[in-house]
Amino acid sequence: MIVIRRPQDAEAHLADAVMCCPHCGGTLAKWGYARERTVRAPGAATVTVRPRRLRCRNCTTTHILLPTALQPRRADTTEVIGIALAHKVNGLGFRRIATLMGRSESTVRRWLRRATDTHLNWACQQGATRLIQLAPEAFTEIRYAGNQLRYTLTILSAAAYWDRRRCGFEEPPWTLIGMYTRGRLLAPPRSG
Ligand SMILES: [Zn+2]
């Protein structure tokens, strides 16, 4: 799985051979499309995408190119999961979040459980790396106040804010946050 901020850029990247195989660094070539998938956006809206599939010319591994607005193996967009995490920061429990967002309690509880401290630490480092490149002064102003989830979302949101402001990225903040976290806003689901 390779994640990309703007799937429409992939064609140009492939033509310029700037995308490399994550396994061996080989050149990637188009290899048809993966299965179409429909995921849930905030509220009752849905998003349907048909991700491109790529194949390494060297090691022949195939990779799926997933837009960072989506999360691998999740039925909801990055934004939906991000909003649920933001509700948790604001002190809401999984039942209340589920009601507010029109999702099942079990789904919301599963998301919140996959925001593990280890994963949040990692996600926070990804956001901090980007924020320090963009706006070091903004990074130094953000204080850790004893809540890893709050701190992580603040760092990631600040990076997205400054990316849009300084680099002119027009994608929604959660799509950028999906990019910093390489499509992994949450720790990967447990199998089963
Ligand atoms: Zn390869």
Side-chain angles (χ1 to χ4, degrees), residues 21 23-24 26 56 59:
C21 173
H23 294 320
C24 74
C56 176
C59 72

Side-chain angles (χ1 to χ4, degrees), residues 4-5 45 52-53 67 77 121 130-131 147 151 155:
I4 187 163
R5 177 171 57 90
R52 179 170 276 297
R53 198 188 293 127
T77 60
N121 263 315
R130 184 64 185 152
L131 182 56
N147 181 323
Y151 184 65
I155 294 278

Side-chain angles (χ1 to χ4, degrees), residues 6-7 14 28 45 70 91 100-101 104 111-112 115 125 131 137 153 157 164 166 168-169 172 180 184:
R6 284 170 22 113
L14 288 167
L28 295 170
L70 272 55
L100 271 177
M101 299 186 70
S104 76
W111 294 339
L112 301 186
Q125 280 167 23
L131 182 56
E137 70 284 3
L153 291 189
S157 304
R164 286 163 59 89
R166 296 234 160 120
F169 287 160
Y180 311 141
R184 297 280 189 203

Side-chain angles (χ1 to χ4, degrees), residues 20-28 55-61 63:
C20 298
C21 173
H23 294 320
C24 74
T27 307
L28 295 170
R55 184 171 182 265
C56 176
R57 290 185 201 275
N58 181 43
C59 72
T60 73
T61 307
H63 304 279

Side-chain angles (χ1 to χ4, degrees), residues 65-104:
L65 197 61
L66 193 74
T68 61
L70 272 55
Q71 298 279 301
R73 297 178 62 194
R74 301 276 177 196
D76 291 84
T77 60
T78 305
E79 182 182 13
V80 170
I81 295 172
I83 290 170
L85 295 177
H87 281 317
K88 187 185 179 189
V89 165
N90 290 327
L92 303 189
F94 73 90
R95 290 195 175 88
R96 182 100 175 83
I97 297 171
T99 305
L100 271 177
M101 299 186 70
R103 298 295 188 268
S104 76

